[in-house]
Amino acid sequence: MLSILKLSIITHDSGENSIVTPVIGLSFFAIASGFLMSLVPLSLPYFGLSPSLTPWLASVFYFGLLLGATCIQKVIKRLGHRRAFIVFLCLLALTVVTMILLPHQISWLAARFIAGLAVAGIFVVVESWLLMSNCPKKRAKRLGLYMAALYGGSAAGQLAISVFGTEGITPYLFVLALLFLATLAPVLIRHGQPRSHQQRFNRRDIRHLSRPAIIGCMVSGLLLGPIYGLMPLYISLSGAYADYTGLLMAIVIVGGMAVQPIAGSMSTRMSKSLLMAIICLVGCVAVLGILESTSLVMMGLSLLCLGAASFALYPIAITLACDNLPQEKMVSATEVMLLCYSVGSVLGPLLATTFTDVGNGLIIYLGVCLFSTCVYMLFKSAETLPSGHKPIAG
């Protein structure tokens, strides 16, 4: 690992804004985070905690993400992208240590809240680092690489459930080891962070942001919050697929990773609002497939499509929001979009629990979100289409 990082310094750090550091760090972080998001609800019985704590742990995490999205720029401005990356990774590792040493409801809720703050910092640092380019095509490619690293690492993290299980402290020690490796990238690679004067958004700037972009980010949170926080428990409680929880969760995230090149390519050829509508329609079909599933293969394919639909919304929405923005406002733009995502993520697990009186309540909740968003995006794409303009380029 050390030799790979040193080689990256030699070959890639000659540029002013190298993406090696955030991509390497993000890859290890994504594996740790993906494993941890499923590990937390599944390890509650081992630590003597009630499974009813699951939605609250998910919501308090995303509440920390929400608050963190409002104050990250100050930290980045004072420390710079590289040092801020190190600080947030170390803070996340500290919350994992706290959960191991203090297995109580209050301490776990507090730890997950602080973890949300740290993850918000990691996301804003990495996204703004990669988006700071004068070339829109380069920004799109970098964001595609970011999403691939994030979702690929998260999928690998889900598979760790089968290797390390969910009992004992060994799985948590594995998470700490991955976070240590993630920290090595910004520690050893000292050059290549973006140098740009940052400007905050004022009210006028926010008012001019694309409404479909804002809604897309918010709905992404409404979907991904329950998927990360509640889907592992939903699968484990379904008798037919309980033994395949880690595999099926990995399939969900692989679907999100696999769709990124397709979504990135299509976003330059058609209206992004229309593209989000089509993606939500695919998600609705996936929900029907899950409800009617009679085999592991059918369930896996349906979850693959659900993951593709759910994970594709955020990158399309954030690129729509950042279109034609100067570099100086990229950090603020990513903060606003993360804020919208976090609002949805906080509300998502709690709203999903209102469907518990209905069979397959979580899946029905996801279907309602996807269908309503599909209708909204169809109307917005029709409203914003100029006269005589084709919805698909070429």
Side-chain angles (χ1 to χ4, degrees):
M1 168 51 74
L2 292 178
S3 61
I4 294 175
L5 292 178
K6 290 178 180 178
L7 180 60
S8 298
I9 297 174
I10 296 173
T11 58
H12 292 279
D13 276 352
S14 57
E16 180 181 352
N17 182 7
S18 171
I19 64 171
V20 174
T21 301
V23 170
I24 292 178
L26 178 74
S27 298
F28 286 113
F29 158 77
I31 299 173
S33 179
F35 184 29
L36 186 62
M37 291 298 286
S38 294
L39 178 62
V40 167
L42 296 176
S43 65
L44 289 174
Y46 174 81
F47 289 98
L49 300 173
S50 172
S52 63
L53 192 62
T54 298
W56 294 102
L57 287 171
S59 290
V60 78
F61 171 82
Y62 287 110
F63 183 59
L65 198 72
L66 172 64
L67 292 185
T70 64
C71 58
I72 299 303
Q73 186 182 29
K74 296 178 181 178
V75 179
I76 296 176
K77 186 175 182 179
R78 173 166 297 200
L79 299 179
H81 281 73
R82 187 183 69 86
R83 291 180 180 176
F85 197 18
I86 296 172
V87 168
F88 291 130
L89 285 170
C90 291
L91 183 61
L92 179 60
L94 183 61
T95 65
V96 177
V97 173
T98 301
M99 293 172 67
I100 296 174
L101 298 180
L102 300 173
H104 305 290
Q105 288 188 7
I106 295 178
S107 59
W108 273 48
L109 288 170
R112 293 307 289 162
F113 171 74
I114 297 173
L117 294 173
V119 171
I122 293 170
F123 283 159
V124 172
V125 166
V126 175
E127 288 174 7
S128 60
W129 193 327
L130 298 178
L131 286 170
M132 283 186 177
S133 171
N134 292 322
C135 177
K137 290 185 178 180
K138 184 179 289 186
R139 285 204 299 260
K141 289 181 180 179
R142 287 182 172 189
L143 194 61
L145 180 62
Y146 160 72
M147 303 309 291
L150 179 62
Y151 296 156
S154 298
Q158 300 301 324
L159 295 176
I161 295 176
S162 302
V163 178
F164 294 96
T166 59
E167 295 186 354
I169 65 171
T170 301
Y172 287 91
L173 295 178
F174 176 66
V175 171
L176 288 174
L178 289 171
L179 291 176
F180 171 74
L181 292 175
T183 309
L184 283 181
V187 168
L188 296 179
I189 306 176
R190 298 176 176 269
H191 305 288
Q193 67 175 329
R195 295 173 186 150
S196 178
H197 178 66
Q198 299 173 25
Q199 296 179 7
R200 291 201 65 85
F201 267 17
N202 53 40
R203 292 183 180 179
R204 182 177 298 179
D205 292 326
I206 296 176
R207 286 171 56 188
H208 285 87
L209 281 174
S210 168
R211 293 294 182 273
I214 292 174
I215 296 298
C217 286
M218 188 174 295
V219 172
S220 178
L222 288 171
L223 295 171
L224 295 183
I227 285 176
Y228 273 127
L230 302 178
M231 186 65 80
L233 189 61
Y234 169 81
I235 297 174
S236 65
L237 292 178
S238 62
Y241 309 112
D243 294 336
Y244 304 97
T245 300
L247 174 63
L248 291 175
M249 282 302 299
I251 289 175
V252 172
I253 300 173
V254 166
M257 179 180 65
V259 79
Q260 295 308 314
I262 301 173
S265 175
M266 295 302 296
S267 66
T268 61
R269 302 185 181 191
M270 63 189 300
S271 163
K272 290 184 175 67
S273 299
L274 179 59
L275 179 58
M276 286 191 280
I278 295 173
I279 287 172
C280 289
L281 182 60
V282 172
C284 292
V285 175
V287 165
L288 293 176
I290 295 172
L291 294 176
E292 299 297 328
S293 176
T294 56
S295 66
L296 180 62
V297 174
M298 185 175 179
M299 175 64 80
L301 290 175
S302 299
L303 288 174
L304 184 76
C305 293
L306 178 64
S310 302
F311 284 91
L313 286 177
Y314 184 76
I316 297 172
I318 197 173
T319 52
L320 177 59
C322 291
D323 281 348
N324 303 318
L325 279 181
Q327 288 192 34
E328 292 78 11
K329 294 188 177 181
M330 286 297 177
V331 174
S332 290
T334 53
E335 274 190 339
V336 172
M337 291 299 102
L338 182 60
L339 183 64
C340 296
Y341 170 84
S342 302
V343 169
S345 300
V346 170
L347 297 177
L350 297 179
L351 291 176
T353 58
T354 63
F355 288 75
T356 52
D357 293 336
V358 183
N360 296 303
L362 173 61
I363 306 303
I364 293 175
Y365 161 80
L366 296 176
V368 170
C369 290
L370 288 163
F371 179 76
S372 57
T373 306
C374 177
V375 174
Y376 170 82
M377 292 299 175
L378 283 174
F379 276 109
K380 294 304 291 185
S381 61
E383 287 178 5
T384 57
L385 194 63
S387 178
H389 182 75
K390 295 182 179 180
I392 301 177

